Amino acid sequence: MQEYERKQLLERVEREGATVGADIPETIEIQGEEIDLRTFVFEIKRRETVPSGERDRVEQAKKNLRRERLERLERIEEGDITWGEGEELAGSIIGIDRALNALESLGPTDLEREQKVQQAQDRKRWMSFLKKALGQEDDASARRGR
């Protein structure tokens, strides 16, 4: 795969609206185990909030999905793969993101943790705003031609 193709795939995966219209994969292999991801997400999503007995299972699923997403992203970034393999990986990453978005949108299971995450996101947005306002865009943005 050419370097510019690799960058295109990475940009596609990281695009803010990448999950819009994307489907949650029917099944996904995570650490050698086949998981019925769509069924799991819809089963959990049917409820308004996560029942206390399911919280650990949902948190573990989100952790595993994040880990799998990172591994697949690293394969695109650094792996010796073809364009077709990269396309497949990018599609699966977007599907994982869609599943994570659905699971994250459930009622907060830990209000204190939720508040810390929100504060961290607010700080990140504020720092990004300040960098742009001061003309100090990060190197990644400058390389992409923004």
Side-chain angles (χ1 to χ4, degrees), residues 101-141:
N101 288 344
L103 293 173
E104 295 289 345
S105 70
L106 297 171
T109 55
D110 181 354
L111 294 177
E112 185 175 319
R113 187 174 141 264
E114 188 74 22
Q115 182 181 17
K116 287 180 183 178
V117 167
Q118 187 65 40
Q119 287 173 340
Q121 290 173 345
D122 288 345
R123 277 193 299 276
K124 186 175 178 180
R125 283 191 294 272
W126 179 245
M127 291 305 294
S128 176
F129 169 77
L130 286 176
K131 283 180 180 180
K132 285 180 182 178
L134 296 172
Q136 299 174 350
E137 289 190 38
D138 62 44
D139 292 339
S141 295

Side-chain angles (χ1 to χ4, degrees), residues 8 39 56 59 77 85 95 115 117:
Q8 284 177 336
T39 303
D56 289 340
E59 290 303 317
E77 289 175 339
E85 291 169 328
Q115 182 181 17
V117 167

Side-chain angles (χ1 to χ4, degrees), residues 41-65:
V41 170
F42 286 129
E43 172 190 313
I44 297 299
K45 193 83 168 133
R46 273 187 300 138
R47 306 171 180 122
E48 295 278 324
T49 59
V50 181
S52 58
E54 295 284 317
R55 285 186 186 139
D56 289 340
R57 182 174 167 221
V58 171
E59 290 303 317
Q60 186 62 45
K62 290 191 299 190
K63 183 178 177 181
N64 289 342
L65 286 169

Side-chain angles (χ1 to χ4, degrees), residues 9-10 12-14 18-19 22-23 25 28 65 68-77 86-100:
L9 289 174
L10 293 170
R12 177 177 153 209
V13 167
E14 297 299 333
T19 60
D23 291 328
I28 190 167
L65 286 169
E68 186 65 26
R69 180 193 191 283
L70 183 60
E71 287 174 9
R72 291 176 187 214
L73 189 63
E74 286 173 353
R75 283 184 56 205
I76 292 175
E77 289 175 339
E87 277 277 308
E88 190 175 311
L89 283 170
S92 69
I93 290 169
I94 291 170
I96 289 171
D97 287 344
R98 178 71 178 87
L100 281 168

